[in-house]
Amino acid sequence: MAAAAVAAALALGGGLVLAAWRWLRGEARAAAGAGAGASMRGKTVIITGANSGLGRAAAAELLRMRARVIMGCRDRARAERAAREIRAELGERAEAEGGGELVVRELDLASLRSVRAFCHRVLQEEPRLDVLINNAGIFQCPYMKTEDGFEMQFGVNHLGHFLLTNLLLGLLKNSAPSRIVVVSSKLYKYGEINFEDLNSEISYNKSFCYSRSKLANILFARELARRLEGTGVTVNSLHPGIVRTNLGRYVNIPLLAKPLFNLVSWAFFKTPLEGAQTSIYLASSPDVEGVSGKYFGDCKEEELLPKAMDDLVARKLWDISEVMVGLLK
């Protein structure tokens, strides 16, 4: 009995300490919000995967900063629901009177046909594009293929965004100064670009393939920044940290471990809003005006491993990606 009481007291005490620490961390991050005081009035922003997680948080904040936000999402019904919730959270008048606007457009990055249709509509309807945030992603899924036959993680996380960005480059250049923000991950460190098996047809490891796609994101951002020098379009990549989102829906956690995992994730993982701060910062802050080809975390520039700065690999990946998505025959 006494032992149970002691265990309960320790658990309660530990829970209170975690709660206090979590609250203090949240307050500190909120006080140093990436978009504090900034205005995006008159600017158009596209965010992929904006119906949940980091993308939804970024969409809400940029709308609050009075941007016209285009939510590019695979599931239109879920995106419309998220848009309604964001409007309700900010108040309908925030959109009507504040100069911001929230627009939902269908975009499935696992389909090059869908990417082309999305870009065609954007180019027809939008006179300008100030920021493109390549945010959507799929994490450690079982082996499956996109509509075009690409391994899903490489296809969505890299190739879909590669085509999207290239098709919108003309509009971004015409709207300069403009920005491209690429959401990568610290897990890029465990990836390698294997040109002999980019489509994972010889072997497939879901963790390795995710890391490879995130390394590809960084190499793409750096090569694109090089190609866009002097155009007024900047490109930067980032890692958001460990965030509580539905990105890990394919990760199996044993039933008995779930309560502990939920407690740890609540205490130590970032909220979506906290995780989105670097995306918001790179999209809106005057501090990074003209900064390009860099990698950020927690709104600060960070060093990359040599393999993420290999210009020869980056150029070869670019050339192969052009062929894979049909930009070159």
Side-chain angles (χ1 to χ4, degrees):
M1 238 359 224
V6 169
L10 287 173
L12 178 60
L16 289 172
V17 169
L18 286 174
W21 184 85
R22 183 73 184 80
W23 181 82
L24 287 170
R25 189 186 71 167
E27 288 294 300
R29 283 190 170 135
S39 174
M40 294 287 283
R41 184 189 290 274
K43 295 188 176 181
T44 297
V45 181
I46 289 176
I47 307 176
T48 66
N51 61 284
S52 64
L54 298 174
R56 184 190 185 284
E61 281 300 290
L62 291 166
L63 177 64
R64 185 184 61 77
M65 295 159 65
R66 302 175 180 176
R68 171 178 166 82
V69 179
I70 299 174
M71 303 168 65
C73 303
R74 179 178 58 84
D75 189 325
R76 187 178 183 88
R78 288 182 60 200
E80 294 284 8
R81 184 165 62 251
R84 287 194 298 271
E85 291 169 354
I86 291 170
R87 294 186 187 106
E89 290 165 9
L90 298 183
E92 294 288 348
R93 287 188 301 176
E95 186 176 12
E97 299 175 6
E101 185 180 3
L102 208 53
V103 179
V104 172
R105 294 286 181 264
E106 188 173 331
L107 170 63
D108 183 358
L109 289 157
S111 163
L112 299 183
R113 173 184 50 79
S114 175
V115 173
R116 289 192 177 92
F118 172 86
C119 292
H120 179 72
R121 184 168 182 181
V122 167
L123 295 175
Q124 280 192 321
E125 297 180 353
E126 303 299 328
R128 62 181 302 108
L129 176 58
D130 300 276
V131 182
L132 170 63
I133 303 180
N134 289 340
N135 165 83
I138 188 165
F139 178 75
Q140 296 190 7
C141 62
Y143 185 76
M144 57 181 86
K145 291 187 175 182
T146 68
E147 178 180 288
D148 304 278
F150 305 127
E151 185 275 312
M152 185 64 73
Q153 295 187 88
F154 190 73
V156 169
N157 298 353
H158 170 61
L159 291 175
H161 282 119
F162 180 88
L163 178 61
L164 174 80
T165 306
N166 273 281
L167 293 179
L168 296 176
L169 273 184
L171 185 56
L172 284 158
K173 289 177 182 177
N174 291 338
S175 307
S178 53
R179 306 181 184 191
I180 300 169
V181 179
V182 178
V183 179
S184 182
S185 165
K186 277 186 174 182
L187 294 176
Y188 86 86
K189 297 174 181 179
Y190 306 103
E192 300 290 342
I193 304 298
N194 177 9
F195 289 110
E196 302 304 313
D197 192 26
L198 279 180
N199 214 30
S200 301
E201 292 175 340
I202 298 173
S203 65
Y204 180 73
N205 177 290
K206 64 182 183 180
S207 299
F208 167 80
C209 287
Y210 177 76
S211 296
R212 177 170 62 188
S213 73
K214 295 290 102 178
L215 175 58
N217 288 159
I218 297 170
L219 291 167
F220 164 58
R222 286 176 53 83
E223 175 63 10
L224 182 58
R226 184 187 69 81
R227 291 171 180 248
L228 291 176
E229 286 178 4
T231 65
V233 184
T234 60
V235 191
N236 292 290
S237 59
L238 68 100
H239 75 81
I242 305 175
V243 187
R244 293 196 311 274
T245 70
N246 65 355
L247 190 64
R249 60 189 176 275
Y250 291 109
V251 178
N252 293 318
I253 299 168
L255 186 62
L256 293 176
K258 280 189 177 180
L260 178 60
F261 175 82
N262 290 337
L263 177 63
V264 169
S265 66
W266 173 81
F268 296 105
F269 291 10
K270 293 179 181 179
T271 66
L273 179 56
E274 290 167 350
Q277 290 303 302
T278 306
S279 295
I280 298 164
Y281 173 75
L282 291 175
S284 64
S285 176
D287 294 347
V288 288
E289 186 71 43
V291 175
S292 193
K294 304 301 182 183
Y295 173 72
F296 288 79
D298 289 327
C299 302
K300 299 185 295 292
E301 186 180 338
E302 294 191 1
E303 293 295 320
L304 285 165
L305 293 180
K307 66 181 175 182
M309 298 187 290
D310 190 323
D311 292 339
L312 291 178
V313 171
R315 291 174 192 178
K316 184 174 181 180
L317 178 64
W318 181 286
D319 292 343
I320 291 174
S321 298
E322 278 187 318
V323 174
M324 292 178 81
V325 302
L327 289 174
L328 286 181
K329 301 298 184 185

